[in-house]
Amino acid sequence: MSDISSEMKPLTALGRQEPRTDTHKDVTMREMSDIALASCAARLGQEDAAAKCLASFIGGDLPGPGKMTGDTFGSFWTGPDQWMVMAQHDTHEDLAAQLVVATKGTASITEQNDAWCCFELTGPRLTSVFELLCPVNLRACSGGEATRTSIDHLSCFLLVSSPDRVRVFGPRSSAGSLHHALLTAMRAAL
């Protein structure tokens, strides 16, 4: 009898063993399957304590509305007294459990590892691509912005690390549709 666990292999959001990369002209889109995510919501009456604990955990100030901090390890604002924390999956697979300990009961933590997919787009003409996708004015962004928007009828988070590097988090269950929308916009805009 074979060991079933030895036959199990994790798949990316697009159903592959390795993350997909697509390049069209000078823009590259890469599926990011190595990000751990956890949502954090301060409990009623514990907002200041939760923010202090989270800031200590990420090693810096928490982002305010429309902002993000960090890149590989950091957070972005998702609502009043709510943040999404992200880290490298290899070193923080149990990110939610680490946050439960770090917040000392001041926040509600939910693991988000398999709820979201992420695509990172890099290149000098991303504004042209995103003008076709959503109403976010990328031309006004210099880096450090995070916003929730709709892309192809999907609720997504747009994280702008720099004008030539943007991450899109969308529902994992619609990863194929989101990938198709992003790739179609790349081909149409460039």
Side-chain angles (χ1 to χ4, degrees):
M1 187 172 197
S2 67
D3 180 14
I4 293 176
S5 64
S6 67
E7 297 173 19
M8 295 175 60
K9 296 180 181 173
L11 298 177
T12 70
L14 291 176
R16 302 163 57 109
Q17 289 187 3
E18 295 298 323
R20 181 170 171 169
T21 299
D22 295 280
T23 301
H24 182 70
K25 297 194 178 177
D26 54 1
V27 172
T28 297
M29 176 174 52
R30 187 169 62 104
E31 180 184 14
M32 306 287 291
S33 61
D34 57 349
I35 299 173
L37 289 172
S39 63
C40 307
R43 293 185 176 158
L44 187 61
Q46 298 291 316
E47 295 86 355
D48 291 340
K52 184 177 177 183
C53 290
L54 283 171
S56 177
F57 182 82
I58 66 171
D61 294 334
L62 287 174
K67 297 294 181 184
M68 63 176 273
T69 61
D71 191 27
T72 302
F73 183 71
S75 65
F76 56 97
W77 187 87
T78 58
D81 301 310
Q82 298 175 43
W83 300 269
M84 190 80 76
V85 177
M86 55 191 166
Q88 284 292 92
H89 189 270
D90 291 346
T91 57
H92 291 82
E93 181 178 1
D94 62 343
L95 178 61
Q98 292 175 27
L99 285 166
V100 166
V101 172
T103 57
K104 305 171 187 171
T106 63
S108 296
I109 311 298
T110 307
E111 181 180 309
Q112 299 288 327
N113 288 353
D114 290 326
W116 299 90
C117 63
C118 179
F119 297 99
E120 181 177 75
L121 285 80
T122 56
R125 296 189 290 162
L126 294 183
T127 53
S128 299
V129 174
F130 282 96
E131 284 173 345
L132 298 177
L133 290 166
C134 62
V136 176
N137 182 4
L138 218 60
R139 294 184 194 283
C141 297
S142 58
E145 293 85 8
T147 190
R148 193 161 205 163
T149 189
S150 178
I151 296 177
D152 201 41
H153 306 287
L154 298 171
S155 181
C156 298
F157 287 104
L158 203 69
L159 277 61
V160 182
S161 297
S162 67
D164 61 355
R165 187 163 165 244
V166 177
R167 286 185 179 172
V168 177
F169 283 91
R172 185 181 176 100
S173 60
S174 299
S177 296
L178 180 57
H179 176 267
H180 175 74
L182 294 169
L183 189 57
T184 299
M186 284 169 54
R187 290 175 177 159
L190 306 174

